[in-house]
Amino acid sequence: MDLLFVADPIETFKTYKDSTFAMMREAARRGHRLHVCEPTDLVWVRGSRVVARNARTLILTGREQADWYEVVATQELALADVDAVLMRKDPPFDSEYVYATHLLQQAEREGARVFNRPQALRDHPEKLAILEFPQFIAPTLVAREAAAIRAFHAEQGDIILKPLDGMGGMGIFRVGPDGLNLGSIIETLNQGGATTVMVQRYLGEIVQGDKRILLIGGVPVPYCLARIPQGSEIRGNLAAGGKGVAQPLSDSDRAIAEALGPILAARGLLLVGLDVIGNCLTEINVTSPTCFQEITDQTGCDVAALFIDALEAALA
């Protein structure tokens, strides 16, 4: 099969932990052909089809350093002419990301198979998608009004505030019962009432880790990665210095995953990353879920193989 990965510049990949690289490596092992482009390469002209200009065809060298790939061809490639397009662009989920999904959806109309489906990506912003499943989430507020945030803090006492378009723990603040710096944090995040903010009750179970649970084809991977904050840090994100510890799913983890899995898969989300603290769902990640290699390295469960199995089944 011909697979086109729409991703960040491959020169920036940290191959020792990158999940897109793990997908590529497993796909190549099975004999699939690899092509890659960036969202800036997507072009549509009336009378033609959505193409990836300067799409690069890769072979993997078997090394995992700067020379992990070789480019064997550069060409203009119509998305409908490959077997599958894998949208693996990292957040931010900004206007340009949304525009890219519209181009990918046009490619679908022309016959392309895109994973995750573009409309599903737009319909599931990663922070806000949890609102559909209130039975699994902690007390949560979504607002831009400072008074509403202050009232939520007064009610909950200990809260986490975060921007809706962040990733890797960026822009997350904790405010305790003393309310120290609450006003300044609100001003920073809501930009004077212009920007919407998510506020949640602080979950003390974060000390045991912010668990990433992967759903592939609606089925949970049997192990999650608990990302455990280090030192005085409140964030477990690996990008913020958290320690990743793979562990079997708990009963509550599995209950959440099995409840959401079929629903999300039916919407065209082949790969989803659920974030869970304690027994509470905190995010539904659909843009470029990660942690493949950490789980595989620590448990022997080959997550990339499970993903390519699901992709092949979806294309059969």
Side-chain angles (χ1 to χ4, degrees):
M1 294 192 302
D2 284 285
L3 307 180
L4 173 64
F5 290 82
V6 182
D8 291 297
I10 57 174
E11 296 82 5
T12 68
F13 281 21
K14 297 176 180 177
T15 55
Y16 66 92
K17 68 174 185 177
D18 192 281
S19 293
T20 303
F21 170 73
M23 295 175 184
M24 290 180 171
R25 182 174 56 191
E26 177 61 20
R29 189 187 68 78
R30 301 186 187 198
H32 301 313
R33 291 170 295 278
L34 307 179
H35 312 277
V36 64
C37 74
E38 299 172 27
T40 54
D41 295 319
L42 299 178
V43 175
W44 180 82
V45 179
R46 192 184 71 168
S48 183
R49 298 179 294 171
V50 177
V51 300
R53 291 185 174 170
N54 303 312
R56 291 181 284 177
T57 302
L58 307 181
I59 58 172
L60 304 189
T61 64
R63 298 182 290 272
E64 296 188 11
Q65 304 298 324
D67 56 350
W68 61 270
Y69 66 91
E70 293 179 8
V71 177
V72 296
T74 301
Q75 60 189 310
E76 181 175 289
L77 194 60
L79 273 60
D81 286 344
V82 300
D83 295 284
V85 178
L86 292 94
M87 179 52 159
R88 291 289 299 172
K89 172 70 176 70
D90 284 342
F93 191 87
D94 55 12
S95 296
E96 287 302 324
Y97 190 100
V98 172
Y99 301 151
T101 68
H102 283 290
L103 286 173
L104 292 172
Q105 191 166 12
Q106 174 61 26
E108 280 189 323
R109 298 185 191 104
E110 297 161 2
R113 299 290 303 278
V114 184
F115 304 90
N116 287 322
R117 290 199 67 188
Q119 181 173 339
L121 290 173
R122 289 199 304 275
D123 288 347
H124 296 82
E126 300 188 331
K127 303 291 192 300
L128 294 176
I130 65 170
L131 305 188
E132 183 180 354
F133 307 101
Q135 69 272 35
F136 296 121
I137 70 175
T140 298
L141 168 75
V142 178
R144 58 168 84 176
E145 184 186 60
I149 298 172
R150 289 184 180 278
F152 186 82
H153 173 259
E155 177 184 307
Q156 299 297 328
D158 199 350
I159 61 172
I160 292 289
L161 303 93
K162 53 189 175 182
L164 295 179
D165 59 354
M167 66 169 290
M170 185 179 301
I172 292 179
F173 295 90
R174 178 185 178 185
V175 177
D178 60 8
L180 188 64
N181 287 329
L182 178 58
S184 178
I185 291 168
I186 292 173
E187 292 167 6
T188 298
L189 291 180
N190 82 342
Q191 301 181 32
T195 302
T196 302
V197 178
M198 175 169 279
V199 192
Q200 295 174 305
R201 185 177 69 196
Y202 173 74
L203 299 171
E205 296 91 338
I206 184 63
V207 297
Q208 279 85 47
D210 179 357
K211 294 172 286 187
R212 167 58 56 84
I213 301 169
L214 294 170
L215 300 174
I216 297 176
V219 178
V221 172
Y223 298 91
C224 65
L225 190 75
R227 297 159 297 174
I228 302 172
Q230 300 297 293
S232 60
E233 182 60 72
I234 62 167
R235 299 170 299 172
N237 309 75
L238 300 183
K243 178 182 179 181
V245 178
Q247 59 190 39
L249 299 187
S250 68
D251 289 344
S252 62
D253 294 339
R254 188 169 294 279
I256 294 171
E258 290 180 348
L260 272 61
I263 297 171
L264 299 176
R267 297 172 182 173
L269 294 168
L270 183 68
L271 175 63
V272 176
L274 305 178
D275 288 349
V276 173
I277 298 175
N279 299 327
C280 292
L281 176 69
T282 61
E283 290 188 19
I284 299 175
N285 295 273
V286 300
T287 52
S288 57
T290 59
C291 299
F292 280 35
Q293 296 203 61
E294 294 87 348
I295 292 173
T296 299
D297 291 345
Q298 294 182 41
T299 69
C301 177
D302 194 335
V303 181
L306 295 176
F307 176 77
I308 299 298
D309 284 345
L311 178 65
E312 291 173 341
L315 295 169

